[in-house]
Amino acid sequence: MEQFDAACADAILASVIRSSLDCIIVTDEAGRVVEFNPAAESTFGYSRAAAIGAEISELIIPPRLRGGDASGAYPAGGLPSLLGRRVEQTAMHADGSEFPVELAITEAWSGSRRFFTACLRDLSERRAADAALLASQARLEAFMKHAPIGMYLKDTDGRYLMANPEMAKVFGRPAEQSIGLSAADIFSPEEVAMIAENDRRVLETGQVVAVEEFLSEALDYAWSLVVRFPVWEDQEQARIGGFDIDITELKRSAERLAESERRFRAVTHHHPVPVVFIDPRNQLIVANPAFREMMGVGAGDEERFLKHRWFATREDYRRINALSRELSRVDGVEAHFRRLDGSVFPASLSWRHVEWDGQQVIVGSILDLTATKAAEAALARSREALAQSERLNALGSLLAGVSHELNNPLAVVVGQAMVLEELLAGTENADRAARIKRAAERCARIVQTFLAMARERPPQRRSVDANDLIRAALDIASYGLRTAGIEVGTRFADGLPPLQVDPDQMHQVLFNLVVNAQQALQDVPEPRRIVVETSLVGSEIEILLSDNGPGVPPDIRNRIFEPFFTTKPQGVGTGIGLAFSLGVVQAHKGRLDLLDNAGGAHFRLRLPVEAAAVAQPERGQTQVAKGGVGRTALVVDDEPDVGEMVALFLETEGFTVTTVADGASAKQALATTTFDAVFCDLRMPHTDGPALYEWVRDTVPQAADRFVFVTGDTLGSSAARFLEQAGRPVVEKPFSRETIRQAIATLSPAP
């Protein structure tokens, strides 16, 4: 029976050990494991079979702690020294990673054998929870510290228990000095009564209370929106929480607004623009003196004026009345008015729906367009002159292209004429040489003039509103659109960021698009419509201009931006407008596209809102002594005559000159010889000037500072970009001895 009882007890003990949620490890006196329960297997990563018989210190104690230390880790005396104690120490997983545990050691005997039972509990989650709590407290403290509004907590007796630093502006003292104080210790009696009353409301109702409070001594928080709320504890209100939001500036703004409205009424009376206020029943509320004067209202005309029909026709009245009910904001609607004396005049109406003395009214301004209409008539007469000017501009571009091709031979003619004049000085042919020189110089000046006319001016950019640009273009085109029976609709997005563009150039682009649409609608039956829309798409402002005309046939869609391509009859267009517009838009880093939409032509213009003019880099100039005696120069030009001319001018400045006709020969010369100056043509077959310069910068960088580029490609965009980036001196063809001399003066001397 005793044997049965012992066996039963051992089975029960083994079952308890195996089912325990805590790690249980049993060792003999030598520290070898005799039992290792499933919780220990799961925690440490060893199987029971692998653990039985192993030394416990080798199994779960990190190597750095096995000898024991003064920090409470596994002691040098082994498990017996921990009997009756509950300690925290570091344990080790099977993979060698360490984790914190709580350890309790008990002693057991089986006959004469002594055993030790180690009960371990993984503390990782508790440690993580403690760390999370500390982090949460730190975040709460940071939130309170940096919150831009006052935050506090006080007990039901009104004493402050917590207050963030922003509350110092409310208290008039550091927030920490107010802890434990009540409102009576901080504020005036009147303010204390106000605060106490609002606290009472929270305590009695248990609801959130938001009120405006005024503190006479405060600066930033003179006016506050104070939100009080109950803080519950065990289902009973134990605290009062509060937020103080500074609304001082809002209050002051409201006061300024009220004063502004008073001034507005006074200004309206004296405003030079005719202004009227009309109530929802179309009854006149206010008509300033300017309006009365425009309508011819004199002394004694008041009663007749109030009954007078302002609009010249019933159609105008019905149209404007319908628009005023439909649209709350309108600018520039035209109609005809009739004065008291019966005379009729054209006018432009703009209005807004505003609140006035508690009711919605219409505030309108009326501009007499008599002078404007006269100006539009004059503008119409000048349009033919503008068309002629466009044709002349196209001719100028053509001449500029021809002039560019003349640069190389002109460079030779000008240079040789100068040399010939010097060689024949004092002879009977000297006058002939001088005449040749003067004629050559005249040709050069003409070419330079054409190039200057054709060279694009960098955009003069400034901040402008896209909607205002469109309005300006439509204003100029309004007469032609109206007389052509074309309706213009606009859908402008509000709050668009400003564009950094050249207003004159962009105005011309928009005007070109409008005029193109007008001409496309010329033979289209009514209704004829043009719609302009603006919107913000990402970081770009998008302008869509569409018409209900015949559209662009598919077979010519890819050609409409080509210079001189036009589908218009002879004398109506030159084909320059869209090409010019595309160039301007691309110079502003924008895009101009013809969309593939049905029903008319649809153009989309997109401009980046951050587009800005690129400043020209400063070119470093190191002045050296004039003259090149004893100095060497390399001339690289695929045109032998031009190369000879440059070499001749350099030789007259005292240089010893080497001339090559291509980039490959130039590389050989530069690799073996140090030159004081390198005059290189920009455009050459195979290795051109930019490629040679890049090779020099990588291979013989000391020669890069002695480069001068000779070019006639002053109109090419790629050439302009390269020269801007390189920052090297440039000699434009046709050149002279003086331009060569000026270029030499900018070079750094060779070492």
Side-chain angles (χ1 to χ4, degrees):
M1 184 65 178
E2 291 179 356
Q3 291 179 351
F4 173 79
D5 291 343
C8 181
D10 289 343
I12 292 172
L13 178 60
S15 175
V16 170
I17 291 174
R18 289 191 182 94
S19 61
S20 175
L21 298 178
D22 290 329
C23 302
I24 297 179
I25 305 173
V26 182
T27 71
D28 59 16
E29 282 190 288
R32 298 196 175 278
V33 177
V34 298
E35 184 58 68
F36 200 80
N37 76 337
E41 289 181 300
S42 174
T43 299
F44 289 95
Y46 294 103
S47 68
R48 183 176 182 274
I52 298 298
E55 170 65 44
I56 187 171
S57 63
E58 296 293 331
L59 195 65
I60 66 172
I61 307 300
R64 61 185 180 84
L65 301 178
R66 287 171 187 165
D69 60 20
S71 65
Y74 184 73
L79 293 179
S81 63
L82 297 176
L83 278 173
R85 294 169 54 191
R86 185 177 294 274
V87 299
E88 293 184 7
Q89 72 170 64
T90 301
M92 180 179 68
H93 289 294
D95 62 4
S97 60
E98 298 180 7
F99 64 102
V101 297
E102 183 181 65
L103 173 65
I105 304 297
T106 59
E107 182 182 35
W109 292 85
S110 177
S112 60
R113 295 184 62 188
R114 186 186 186 193
F115 297 92
F116 298 98
T117 301
C119 183
L120 301 95
R121 180 170 296 170
D122 189 345
L123 298 179
S124 299
E125 291 185 3
R126 192 173 79 185
R127 294 279 179 86
D130 291 342
L133 177 60
L134 290 175
S136 176
Q137 291 174 340
R139 286 193 294 270
L140 176 60
E141 291 176 1
F143 174 75
M144 295 281 288
K145 179 180 179 181
H146 298 288
I149 63 173
M151 305 169 64
Y152 64 82
L153 181 70
K154 55 185 177 180
D155 60 23
T156 54
D157 293 329
R159 291 184 176 85
Y160 291 95
L161 304 176
M162 293 176 59
N164 71 335
E166 185 72 8
M167 283 298 293
K169 299 177 182 178
V170 179
F171 295 144
R173 66 181 74 187
E176 60 271 15
Q177 295 181 10
S178 302
I179 303 303
L181 302 181
S182 67
D185 301 318
I186 302 173
F187 302 106
S188 69
E190 295 81 4
E191 294 163 351
V192 170
M194 171 185 64
I195 293 171
E197 171 61 21
N198 292 327
D199 285 351
R200 182 190 62 77
R201 292 172 58 192
V202 175
L203 293 172
E204 289 184 356
T205 65
Q207 302 294 321
V208 175
V209 175
V211 295
E212 293 182 2
E213 294 182 355
F214 177 71
L215 302 176
S216 58
E217 299 298 326
L219 296 177
D220 292 332
Y221 281 79
W223 279 99
S224 299
L225 174 61
V226 183
V227 181
R228 290 177 174 82
F229 51 91
V231 179
W232 301 89
E233 191 172 293
D234 295 332
Q235 297 185 347
E236 291 187 4
Q237 183 173 336
R239 304 284 189 273
I240 299 175
F243 297 149
D244 274 36
I245 304 171
D246 186 7
I247 60 171
T248 304
E249 186 56 35
L250 290 176
K251 283 289 188 179
R252 291 171 180 165
S253 296
E255 293 174 358
R256 290 193 293 268
L257 178 59
E259 177 60 27
S260 175
E261 289 180 351
R262 289 191 292 270
R263 289 197 299 268
F264 172 74
R265 296 188 184 218
V267 169
T268 300
H269 180 77
H270 298 287
H271 202 287
V273 174
V275 176
V276 293
F277 287 59
I278 302 171
D279 68 14
R281 298 171 300 170
N282 282 337
Q283 298 298 312
L284 182 66
I285 302 173
V286 174
N288 72 343
F291 181 80
R292 294 170 181 270
E293 180 181 352
M294 181 183 68
M295 297 299 293
V297 180
D301 292 332
E302 188 68 23
E303 183 177 352
R304 191 159 62 97
F305 169 63
L306 293 176
K307 297 178 180 180
H308 180 67
R309 295 185 180 275
W310 302 352
F311 293 100
T313 65
R314 186 174 297 275
E315 290 73 17
D316 273 351
Y317 169 76
R318 290 173 176 171
R319 177 171 57 90
I320 299 302
N321 188 46
L323 283 175
S324 67
R325 295 181 183 279
E326 177 184 353
L327 302 175
S328 62
R329 179 188 179 98
V330 170
D331 291 305
V333 174
E334 292 189 10
H336 284 80
F337 274 57
R338 177 181 286 108
R339 299 184 181 90
L340 281 185
D341 63 8
S343 60
V344 176
F345 63 96
S348 172
L349 287 76
S350 301
W351 64 77
R352 303 289 186 271
H353 289 191
V354 300
E355 185 174 341
W356 175 273
D357 290 339
Q359 64 176 334
Q360 289 291 320
V361 303
I362 297 175
V363 179
S365 64
I366 299 92
L367 297 179
D368 187 340
L369 295 182
T370 302
T372 302
K373 295 300 181 182
E376 287 181 355
L379 180 62
R381 290 191 295 269
S382 68
R383 279 183 175 156
E384 181 59 32
L386 287 176
Q388 180 65 19
S389 175
E390 185 179 84
R391 288 191 287 272
L392 290 175
N393 287 337
L395 179 60
S397 299
L398 178 63
L399 290 175
V402 173
S403 300
H404 171 63
E405 295 301 321
L406 292 175
N407 271 328
N408 279 340
L410 265 180
V412 176
V413 173
V414 171
Q416 293 291 357
M418 291 179 180
V419 173
L420 188 62
E421 181 185 34
E422 294 175 359
L423 292 176
L424 296 178
T427 69
E428 62 182 6
N429 291 319
D431 182 59
R432 294 179 181 274
R435 292 182 183 182
I436 295 174
K437 175 189 173 184
R438 287 194 297 271
E441 289 177 339
R442 182 183 178 191
C443 290
R445 286 194 301 271
I446 293 172
V447 170
Q448 292 296 337
T449 299
F450 282 141
L451 291 177
M453 292 171 58
R455 188 180 292 123
E456 291 186 1
R457 174 180 62 85
Q460 305 297 314
R461 298 179 182 174
R462 58 184 175 86
S463 181
V464 295
D465 182 87
N467 294 339
D468 289 343
L469 279 176
I470 298 171
R471 291 188 186 101
L474 292 175
D475 284 344
I476 296 299
S478 62
Y479 179 82
L481 295 171
R482 188 171 60 256
T483 55
I486 298 174
E487 300 173 3
V488 178
T490 58
R491 290 193 283 270
F492 293 155
D494 293 328
L496 292 177
L499 286 171
Q500 295 292 332
V501 298
D502 184 316
D504 294 335
Q505 292 186 0
M506 203 53 59
H507 178 274
Q508 184 63 47
V509 170
L510 295 168
F511 182 78
N512 285 346
L513 294 176
V514 172
V515 170
N516 273 0
Q518 175 188 339
Q519 293 173 344
L521 293 169
Q522 184 172 351
D523 298 324
V524 173
E526 293 185 354
R528 307 182 185 101
R529 292 188 302 273
I530 296 175
V531 178
V532 187
E533 305 172 67
T534 61
S535 60
L536 183 63
V537 180
S539 60
E540 296 179 316
I541 288 180
E542 180 179 273
I543 301 172
L544 295 176
L545 190 146
S546 58
D547 61 63
N548 64 335
V552 180
D555 57 331
I556 64 169
R557 293 179 63 85
N558 295 329
R559 299 192 60 194
I560 62 169
F561 292 106
E562 293 179 7
F564 301 104
F565 176 79
T566 180
T567 60
K568 300 169 186 175
Q570 180 71 28
V572 176
T574 62
I576 296 297
L578 285 177
F580 166 84
S581 300
L582 180 64
V584 169
V585 172
Q586 290 175 341
H588 285 78
K589 296 181 173 56
R591 291 171 291 168
L592 178 61
D593 302 300
L594 173 66
L595 301 182
D596 190 13
N597 291 4
H602 298 257
F603 286 89
R604 180 180 65 196
L605 168 61
R606 284 189 175 179
L607 294 167
V609 296
E610 295 298 331
V614 179
Q616 293 290 340
E618 295 182 0
R619 296 180 178 176
Q621 294 187 350
T622 304
Q623 296 292 336
V624 299
K626 292 184 178 180
V629 177
R631 301 173 71 189
T632 59
L634 175 67
V635 175
V636 188
D637 201 306
D638 63 314
E639 291 277 349
D641 291 340
V642 177
E644 277 184 29
M645 203 67 255
V646 176
L648 179 60
F649 284 153
L650 288 171
E651 288 170 354
T652 59
E653 296 297 320
F655 281 83
T656 300
V657 182
T658 300
T659 303
V660 296
D662 55 61
S665 302
K667 289 180 181 179
Q668 294 178 358
L670 288 166
T672 58
T673 307
T674 299
F675 293 96
D676 294 286
V678 179
F679 280 73
C680 179
D681 192 14
L682 195 66
R683 289 287 174 254
M684 297 181 294
H686 308 301
T687 303
D688 61 4
L692 178 61
Y693 183 68
E694 290 302 318
W695 178 87
V696 167
R697 291 180 63 182
D698 294 338
T699 310
V700 282
Q702 65 274 14
D705 290 338
R706 296 186 288 281
F707 255 70
V708 176
F709 287 102
V710 182
T711 181
D713 185 17
T714 55
L715 297 178
S717 58
S718 60
R721 284 194 300 270
F722 167 74
L723 293 173
E724 180 181 346
Q725 294 170 358
R728 301 305 307 152
V730 179
V731 173
E732 291 189 16
K733 303 173 185 177
F735 48 78
S736 65
R737 179 183 283 112
E738 182 58 31
T739 57
I740 297 294
R741 185 180 293 127
Q742 290 172 357
I744 294 171
T746 66
L747 298 178
S748 301

